Amino acid sequence: MRKTTYAGTALSVIATAGILLLALSSCVPVISGQPDNPADDTPVMPPNDDGDTDDTDDINGDDANGDDANGDDTSDDTTGPLIVNFTPRVIDDTILQGESVRTGDIDNDGDTDIVMASSLLDAVILYLNNDDGQTFTRINVSGNGQLVATDIAISDVDGDGDRDIAAIAQFDRAAGAGSPGSVILFRNPGDPSGTWSFVPLTESNIAAPTVIAAADLTGDGRDELIVGTASGAGAVTGLFYLLNLGTTFDQPISIDANTGNITALATHDVDNDSVTDVIAVDRSANEIRWYRNFRTPGETAVPSFAGFLIAPVTAPNDIALGQFDNDADLELLAATADVSGGMILLFDPPVNPQADWTRSTIDPAFGFGQNSRVAAADFNQDGVTDIAAISNELGQLKIYSASRNGFTPSAPIQMFGVFDIAAANITPDQRPDLITTTFNAATFDTVTLFQNTP
């Protein structure tokens, strides 16, 4: 392992002419080279990057025996995190209660568009990228007052070549908060500026649906819709999926009926059996679990699932997958938040992911209250995955730039009411940008693009 210490250097944020400059300044990085201590055998970052096949890295990333991948435990990493520049630009300042933001190529023109759910406009709004990442065409997909939209998933669920939008309606506005919710599909008309079909996929009997994701669970090439709920009125509770029948969806099929408050979902082949599994954050149970899909690889079948604990985590809120240590498996990034504070955590799967995952703390003191969220991407294009995190109650956005020494945090960027964050290449330069929403930030909330600039 290469271990040059960068004591006295870290990323800071400089606001100049509307540009946020993340540059080296004087403070201590999250991880730095320190004398070997065999008691510190929990990897902090990057996990298991010492050139062997075990998971016994200490805080420096090298084995307790003092040898790194070169066998000499010497300082041979002479570079720290590269500078990252983000230029913020408000895309829309007329929304009310911006909730989730997602990205995808909606009009099949080769660039990335933005979709946002608003729970007080009661709408799903599309921002079509006008090829340059600088200007966008705003399209109200649903129309205002149609659904209490809290989360969205983008997928070509009907197989016609155009990406559709599935949305959570958390409750029935007419019946009031606490009433059952539903799942709505908006079918892409081909020309996104046309009329999107409004297709209820479930009866309005879901107990406070909160989050949605799309993935092919059956192996037939069509994406199912995975939905998590919180406690509330309704006949359907827990974690379930809607079976994609081609032109319609079947009613909910349970993955786990005994979950509490599901606040985040991810889909990934966790056990490397060529079958997509489901990862869920259960905030009320203080757990992050993955659910093994027992479908036989290569076959098409309606699957059954079994849940396995990744880790007990106090007040987990959000997750993101990323490649942090260059092995064959993706790691799981997590954000927590409650009244005592919050953390940014990383979980590294073992060879058998049903066993305990190795936990690392990226930041022991970021987040507060009810909502912190994370995104992962290689922002500075150095081949190492970086992290962006937001805290709604703190009103902060923070960047963690990665190097072989670990993560170096930026100073917090103050952004009152920031609620969700996504990382995607919006501009044509192939550098991941950031997109955020705010919730109750002011009279109107915003969708903001943070353009990643060299």
Side-chain angles (χ1 to χ4, degrees), residues 354-434:
Q354 297 179 23
D356 293 339
W357 292 39
T358 302
R359 168 173 164 160
S360 307
T361 300
I362 304 301
D363 190 335
F366 181 78
F368 179 80
Q370 294 293 317
N371 184 51
S372 289
R373 301 191 183 184
V374 285
D378 182 6
F379 297 121
N380 53 19
Q381 301 289 277
D382 64 351
V384 186
T385 303
D386 309 301
I387 298 168
I390 60 98
S391 169
N392 177 246
E393 280 82 353
L394 294 179
Q396 292 180 352
L397 164 63
K398 202 169 183 180
I399 309 296
Y400 301 82
S401 289
S403 72
R404 296 282 298 193
N405 296 301
F407 286 98
T408 305
S410 72
I413 302 165
Q414 299 301 317
M415 190 176 184
F416 185 71
V418 62
F419 193 83
D420 198 15
I421 188 167
N425 179 35
I426 303 298
T427 55
D429 59 6
Q430 303 305 309
R431 299 171 66 91
D433 307 298
L434 292 172

Side-chain angles (χ1 to χ4, degrees), residues 45 101-102 263-268 270 279-281 288-289 310 316-325 329-336 343-349 357 360 362 372-379 385-390 407 420-424 434:
M45 196 53 226
V101 60
R102 301 289 180 262
T263 58
L265 294 172
T267 59
H268 173 56
V270 176
I279 306 172
V281 174
I288 303 175
R289 288 183 169 271
I310 290 177
N317 192 81
D318 194 28
I319 52 175
L321 290 160
Q323 178 52 263
F324 289 93
D325 59 5
D329 300 310
L330 296 183
E331 286 68 53
L332 187 70
L333 185 65
T336 76
M343 294 187 291
I344 306 298
L345 305 171
L346 190 69
F347 296 94
D348 193 15
W357 292 39
S360 307
I362 304 301
S372 289
R373 301 191 183 184
V374 285
D378 182 6
F379 297 121
T385 303
D386 309 301
I387 298 168
I390 60 98
F407 286 98
D420 198 15
I421 188 167
L434 292 172

Side-chain angles (χ1 to χ4, degrees), residues 31 39-50 54-63 325 331 345-349 357-362 406-407:
I31 313 301
D40 290 334
D41 279 348
T42 300
V44 178
M45 196 53 226
N48 195 27
D49 63 350
D50 52 8
D54 61 33
D55 233 344
T56 57
D57 298 344
D58 69 4
I59 195 167
N60 305 309
D62 52 54
D63 288 342
D325 59 5
E331 286 68 53
L345 305 171
L346 190 69
F347 296 94
D348 193 15
W357 292 39
T358 302
R359 168 173 164 160
S360 307
T361 300
I362 304 301
F407 286 98

Side-chain angles (χ1 to χ4, degrees), residues 103-187:
T103 62
D105 186 0
I106 302 297
D107 53 358
N108 288 328
D109 65 349
D111 57 28
T112 304
D113 308 303
I114 300 168
V115 184
M116 185 274 306
S118 169
S119 61
L120 195 53
L121 286 181
D122 290 1
V124 172
I125 298 174
L126 165 64
Y127 303 92
L128 276 184
N129 189 337
N130 294 330
D131 300 327
D132 57 2
Q134 305 295 318
T135 59
F136 298 82
T137 300
R138 185 185 193 271
I139 298 171
N140 195 327
V141 169
S142 62
N144 290 347
Q146 297 301 307
L147 72 166
V148 184
T150 56
D151 198 18
I152 44 183
I154 299 172
S155 171
D156 180 15
V157 296
D158 53 10
D160 65 354
D162 298 311
R163 290 174 177 83
D164 310 298
I165 301 170
I168 291 293
Q170 190 169 51
F171 60 88
D172 182 339
R173 178 69 71 188
S179 60
S182 59
V183 179
I184 307 296
L185 175 65
F186 296 96
R187 292 192 186 276

Side-chain angles (χ1 to χ4, degrees), residues 32-354:
S32 62
Q34 301 177 16
D36 287 338
N37 181 354
D40 290 334
D41 279 348
T42 300
V44 178
M45 196 53 226
N48 195 27
D49 63 350
D50 52 8
D52 57 27
T53 57
D54 61 33
D55 233 344
T56 57
D57 298 344
D58 69 4
I59 195 167
N60 305 309
D62 52 54
D63 288 342
N65 63 15
D67 291 335
D68 67 3
N70 303 316
D72 56 10
D73 199 23
T74 56
S75 296
D76 50 16
D77 188 352
T78 58
T79 59
L82 299 177
I83 293 174
V84 183
N85 304 320
F86 286 101
T87 303
R89 184 171 66 258
V90 173
I91 295 174
D92 190 349
D93 60 1
T94 64
I95 64 171
L96 297 172
Q97 294 185 357
E99 300 238 9
S100 70
V101 60
R102 301 289 180 262
T103 62
D105 186 0
I106 302 297
D107 53 358
N108 288 328
D109 65 349
D111 57 28
T112 304
D113 308 303
I114 300 168
V115 184
M116 185 274 306
S118 169
S119 61
L120 195 53
L121 286 181
D122 290 1
V124 172
I125 298 174
L126 165 64
Y127 303 92
L128 276 184
N129 189 337
N130 294 330
D131 300 327
D132 57 2
Q134 305 295 318
T135 59
F136 298 82
T137 300
R138 185 185 193 271
I139 298 171
N140 195 327
V141 169
S142 62
N144 290 347
Q146 297 301 307
L147 72 166
V148 184
T150 56
D151 198 18
I152 44 183
I154 299 172
S155 171
D156 180 15
V157 296
D158 53 10
D160 65 354
D162 298 311
R163 290 174 177 83
D164 310 298
I165 301 170
I168 291 293
Q170 190 169 51
F171 60 88
D172 182 339
R173 178 69 71 188
S179 60
S182 59
V183 179
I184 307 296
L185 175 65
F186 296 96
R187 292 192 186 276
N188 192 329
D191 175 359
S193 63
T195 300
W196 292 64
S197 301
F198 183 103
V199 185
L201 297 183
T202 62
E203 299 175 3
S204 296
N205 62 353
I206 302 174
T210 51
V211 289
I212 189 168
D216 180 10
L217 302 180
T218 65
D220 63 359
R222 298 188 295 257
D223 281 354
E224 276 65 52
L225 296 173
I226 305 106
V227 178
T229 72
S231 57
V236 181
T237 61
L239 178 64
F240 62 87
Y241 67 97
L242 302 175
L243 181 65
N244 191 337
L245 301 178
T247 57
T248 61
F249 282 81
D250 202 355
Q251 289 301 298
I253 299 174
S254 179
I255 295 175
D256 186 348
N258 297 313
T259 59
N261 179 13
I262 303 296
T263 58
L265 294 172
T267 59
H268 173 56
D269 181 9
V270 176
D271 52 359
N272 293 314
D273 65 351
S274 300
V275 176
T276 300
D277 308 299
V278 176
I279 306 172
V281 174
D282 190 337
R283 183 176 174 86
S284 58
N286 293 313
E287 291 180 348
I288 303 175
R289 288 183 169 271
W290 74 279
Y291 292 86
R292 183 184 176 190
N293 184 334
F294 280 97
R295 177 174 60 81
T296 301
E299 293 186 0
T300 300
V302 176
S304 60
F305 289 84
F308 299 94
L309 183 67
I310 290 177
V313 179
T314 301
N317 192 81
D318 194 28
I319 52 175
L321 290 160
Q323 178 52 263
F324 289 93
D325 59 5
N326 296 317
D327 64 5
D329 300 310
L330 296 183
E331 286 68 53
L332 187 70
L333 185 65
T336 76
D338 62 14
V339 293
S340 64
M343 294 187 291
I344 306 298
L345 305 171
L346 190 69
F347 296 94
D348 193 15
V351 174
N352 176 9
Q354 297 179 23

